[in-house]
Amino acid sequence: MATLLKVLIDPTVLFVVGCLSVAPALEYVRNPAGFEKELTEYLLDPALIAGVVALFFGILIGGFWTKKTSVHSALWFLFNGAIIHITMDGLTGGYHFLKLLDNHYTKLDQRFRDDETTSWLITQVELFIMAPLCLLTYRAIVKASSWKYPFIILTSTFQLIGAIFFFFSEVVSGFKNVPIDRNLEFTFDHILYFWFGYGANLIWIVIPVAFIINSFVQIDALLSPKSTVNTTSAKKKKN
């Protein structure tokens, strides 16, 4: 029960559920009469189904997290791989599935509307490289694999580079494609599309950097002479 609660209040899970809920919620406010039909289409959309399938596939190959597992780290990679990189950015941002969500993607950033080359290629890297890497990283974390930290570093590096190119290419171009709040008006659209929607890209800079640094620290600790001596002593005691 405690583990389930930890999952439900996990920041990554809350972020993903919130992102997927915003589009249908706003549609209900806009058009209550046609909401049931729109919601049915949303829930049965191939992009959402693909993400759910990937989510269960990740759990199938990796198993469930245990008390020794870093739950927050595991869920970050599981939900990034299945939902962020496949359902949201890969299939909705890249191929315009999930119509309700895609409407907000195109308002958030016109590069999605126009299938601008750089941003589209990033969505494809997410779909075909980052997503599988995230699921493999989830498995490595849950299984406490010796490849855990190398996987974290590799996957986080891809995420970091993708976020840097996507975020800062728009900064360099003078925010031509996003609804920048230059006058700090903080209207609903500015908050939703610029401060939250566009600003959220910074998450994929900060968190991957933290994962990379921590992984190198852990690897260094494992390779240190003291760690080696302790491991050797433990093996001798077993014998």
Side-chain angles (χ1 to χ4, degrees):
M1 189 66 181
T3 303
L4 177 61
L5 179 61
K6 188 180 289 189
V7 171
L8 293 176
I9 63 174
D10 177 80
T12 304
V13 175
L14 291 175
F15 179 85
V16 167
V17 171
C19 288
L20 291 176
S21 301
V22 166
L26 291 178
E27 179 63 20
Y28 176 76
V29 172
R30 188 188 71 83
N31 180 26
F35 177 69
E36 185 176 343
K37 178 177 180 293
E38 294 284 0
L39 181 61
T40 302
E41 291 179 358
Y42 190 79
L43 294 177
L44 295 178
D45 190 282
L48 192 57
I49 293 173
V52 172
V53 169
L55 191 73
F56 282 103
F57 178 72
I59 295 173
L60 179 66
I61 64 171
F64 287 99
W65 41 91
T66 64
K67 290 183 179 179
K68 294 181 179 179
T69 304
S70 176
V71 176
H72 295 311
S73 299
L75 291 176
W76 165 265
F77 288 104
L78 177 62
F79 276 82
N80 264 265
I83 307 300
I84 300 291
H85 297 321
I86 293 178
T87 297
M88 294 174 63
D89 291 352
L91 293 177
T92 301
Y95 293 100
H96 307 291
F97 283 89
L98 273 178
K99 184 180 73 173
L100 291 181
L101 186 60
D102 183 54
N103 290 338
H104 294 285
Y105 262 73
T106 55
K107 289 179 182 177
L108 157 67
D109 195 323
Q110 293 179 13
R111 289 178 293 179
F112 290 116
R113 181 198 66 191
D114 302 333
D115 291 327
E116 183 267 336
T117 304
T118 301
S119 61
W120 187 83
L121 283 174
I122 291 172
T123 66
Q124 300 316 290
V125 172
E126 289 190 60
L127 183 60
F128 294 109
I129 298 178
M130 293 189 204
L133 280 176
C134 278
L135 297 180
L136 290 172
T137 305
Y138 167 79
R139 182 183 187 279
I141 292 172
V142 173
K143 298 289 187 182
S145 166
S146 58
W147 287 93
K148 175 173 70 173
Y149 294 119
F151 262 117
I152 291 174
I153 291 170
L154 177 62
T155 306
S156 297
T157 300
F158 268 101
Q159 290 182 322
L160 175 62
I161 293 173
I164 287 174
F165 272 96
F166 186 80
F167 185 89
F168 287 105
S169 62
E170 186 62 14
V171 174
V172 171
S173 70
F175 296 101
K176 293 188 295 186
N177 299 292
V178 300
I180 183 173
D181 189 6
R182 294 188 187 276
N183 298 319
L184 302 180
E185 299 172 35
F186 295 102
T187 64
F188 178 77
D189 280 2
H190 281 138
I191 292 172
L192 180 61
Y193 298 121
F194 180 71
W195 294 109
F196 174 73
Y198 180 71
N201 286 289
L202 291 172
I203 295 172
W204 280 269
I205 293 176
V206 174
I207 292 182
V209 166
F211 271 127
I212 291 168
I213 292 173
N214 178 68
S215 295
F216 275 115
V217 170
Q218 296 300 324
I219 290 172
D220 180 66
L222 289 171
L223 295 178
S224 67
K226 184 178 179 181
S227 175
T228 305
V229 170
N230 291 337
T231 303
T232 305
S233 300
K235 288 180 178 179
K236 286 182 178 179
K237 287 180 180 179
K238 287 182 180 179
N239 295 331

